[in-house]
Amino acid sequence: MTTLTFLAAPGGTLRGCLRVPGDKSISHRAIMLGALAEGVTTITGFLEGEDCLATLRAFRAMGVCIEGPAQGRVTVRGAGLQGLSAPDGPLDMGNSGTSMRLMAGILAGQAFDTVLTGDISLTRRPMRRVTEPLARMGARIETTETGSAPLRIHGGQRLTGIDYPLPVASAQIKSCLLLAGLYAEGDTRVTEPAPTRDHTERMLEGFGYPLRREGERTVMLAGGGRLAGTEIDVPADLSSAAFFLVGASIAPGSDLVMEHVGLNPTRTGAIEILRRMGADIEILNARLAGGEPVADLRVRHAPLRGIRIPEALVPLAIDEFPALFVAAACAEGVTVLTGAEELRVKESDRIQVMADGLNALGIAAEPTPDGIVIQGGALSGGTVKSHGDHRIAMSFAMAALRAAGPITIQDCANVNTSFPGFVALAWNAGLAIQEREMA
Ligand code: S3P
């Protein structure tokens, strides 16, 4: 078996103007709501990464007619909330936690049985956080003994709305329950401990589904409504742009513009954290696109300093910490992160895996149960393992811009889950990176 390795040469600057691929969270939801809507949904800017393709294939397997993707364009001929049909076999969600957790909510409300499965990483991730509240709504779902996938979802159950305070700040759990709520009798009300990404809420409204927000943290919808097909313009993914925000910030001489980036306020924690560290990030042409704020981002090199990251920013930057840890490694002084134990149950244990990688590159990084302490310093070259985690791989690729020697990053195939074309885009911007199939 071969694995994909990145070889990143040291030094370089990031310059020019680029557009990173479409937002992963919004692309998943566009397919899901489009499939459950009545009428046609046209999506532009769709992320053609493996995660979103897993969602797309699952709905095709349940009889939904979906054309594309072709250059980011997808046409979904909605089947209506009651229009899905039983798939022939298990639905494979690959590496995608978002697909599995959101689909569990939708499938709990169907008349037929389904099985959701995934790759080694996904079948290790915690699923009780969705199956327990779904069971309270009346769903019947079996997990493994440890509470992970495969999920066996029994159809034909009557769901009833619940009032659920989320035990963790997770948009996936919130979205799962709201989607199940579409099929439930009565009201489904979800309260989060801290604000998390609200793309599901925004998009439900865009499909004409009424929901009510109560304060900053509670959202409520009543089952039994209808979704109407619509047009969705998916902005570029801030989580993908984050690698370049960090890369350009740490590489002297950099000056980079990224176009049409989604700047939903529940996602912008990384910009806030980088600015507190001294980064030079300008927000240009701020505008609205399909119910989501977007803008162009200009980032120029700036000396960074270590900070204590405010815990309130953690859910707003949850996917960007691997990249932020590289920024911290290049900053003057110490960066301290707390309140981020969720990072341990992402595609990899992102606290441990990043600490190991930074240590291998000569940086003092000390994991703690809920965070990390990173002492800024000089990055050496070396070899790091991504553990099949796309965001770890891309973060260490950017680290090469400031390293004293080449960085070899192992196990990078999953970069395709969220950022197809990363190597070519990064190369064109000024990062001397190549990919190799290794035995
Ligand atoms: C996502 C929510 C987050 C995030 C993931 C995408 C979503 O997960 O890490 O990449 O699209 O709802 P959690 O809800 O587990 O924090």
Side-chain angles (χ1 to χ4, degrees), residues 24-26 28-29 98 101-102 125 129 169-173 175 197 199-200 318-319 342 346-347 350 391:
K24 184 155 73 72
S25 294
I26 297 176
H28 280 298
R29 288 157 171 82
T98 308
R101 297 201 178 109
L102 272 60
R125 295 179 67 185
R129 52 179 59 196
S170 161
Q172 291 182 355
I173 311 177
S175 303
R197 67 192 68 195
H199 305 299
T200 303
I318 193 67
D319 290 338
E342 273 296 297
K346 294 293 178 188
E347 287 84 329
R350 287 183 173 160
R391 300 201 197 279

Side-chain angles (χ1 to χ4, degrees), residues 162-233:
I162 55 169
D163 192 342
Y164 191 67
L166 295 184
V168 273
S170 161
Q172 291 182 355
I173 311 177
K174 172 177 66 175
S175 303
C176 166
L177 300 181
L178 292 175
L179 292 170
L182 299 175
Y183 291 93
E185 222 167 82
D187 295 346
T188 298
R189 178 184 277 101
V190 187
T191 302
E192 35 190 13
T196 68
R197 67 192 68 195
D198 65 356
H199 305 299
T200 303
E201 296 93 305
R202 285 175 190 251
M203 206 182 282
L204 279 168
E205 286 175 321
F207 278 82
Y209 205 98
L211 55 83
R212 206 167 73 220
R213 291 181 176 78
E214 295 167 0
E216 273 226 322
R217 307 222 176 138
T218 300
V219 57
M220 197 273 282
L221 60 72
R226 294 162 62 178
L227 298 161
T230 186
E231 283 174 17
I232 294 177
D233 167 17

